[in-house]
């Protein structure tokens, strides 16, 4: 019979994995993420960073793959941060400030 990991053990594993990911995050990806969160727009982020919108979308997709969670949810025409996005934003704002 397989034993189930306790909630605390699962949280500790997530923290260790996230810690490793954070060490390898691209500052460009993080800068794009923070700007999207602040402006609510991939297009405005792309314009401010002088990149194309598809390039910004790809950065966020790669960032989500690295973290293993979605960072934004779409509600009609509005972007909203997920729980993982909110946690990353507090970290990201300190780094890119």
């Amino acid at each position: 019979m397989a034993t189930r990991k306790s909630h605390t053990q699962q949280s500790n594993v997530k923290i260790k994995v996230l810690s490793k990911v954070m060490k390898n995050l691209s500052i460009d990806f993080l800068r794009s993420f923070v700007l999207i969160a602040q402006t609510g727009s991939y297009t405005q982020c792309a314009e401010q960073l002088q990149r194309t919108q598809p390039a910004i979308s790809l950065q966020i997709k790669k960032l989500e793959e690295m973290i293993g969670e979605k960072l934004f949810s779409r509600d009609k025409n509005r972007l909203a941060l997920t729980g993982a996005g909110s946690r990353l934003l507090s970290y990201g704002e300190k780094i890119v400030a």
Side-chain angles (χ1 to χ4, degrees):
M1 175 193 251
T3 59
R4 298 180 99 192
K5 288 185 179 180
S6 74
H7 181 66
T8 303
Q9 288 173 322
Q10 289 174 343
S11 294
N12 288 341
V13 168
K14 279 187 174 182
I15 289 169
K16 287 179 184 177
V17 169
L18 192 55
S19 167
K20 287 180 182 178
V21 169
M22 293 300 186
K23 290 178 184 176
N24 295 318
L25 282 180
S26 162
I27 196 74
D28 287 334
F29 289 9
L30 204 52
R31 185 173 291 114
S32 296
F33 166 74
V34 169
L35 196 52
I36 292 166
Q38 291 172 342
T39 63
S41 169
Y42 279 66
T43 302
Q44 287 180 23
C45 171
E47 288 171 0
Q48 289 184 32
L49 295 178
Q50 298 180 344
R51 299 188 200 257
T52 64
Q53 186 274 330
I56 297 298
S57 294
L58 186 59
Q59 286 183 336
I60 298 305
K61 180 180 178 183
K62 288 181 180 180
L63 187 57
E64 289 175 333
E65 288 171 357
M66 291 173 71
I67 292 173
E69 294 192 52
K70 289 283 186 189
L71 299 172
F72 295 101
S73 63
R74 282 191 164 75
D75 182 25
K76 296 187 182 181
N77 291 331
R78 187 171 177 260
L79 284 176
L81 288 171
T82 63
S86 293
R87 289 188 299 276
L88 183 60
L89 181 60
S90 102
Y91 169 81
E93 287 176 328
K94 293 174 189 168
I95 299 300
V96 300

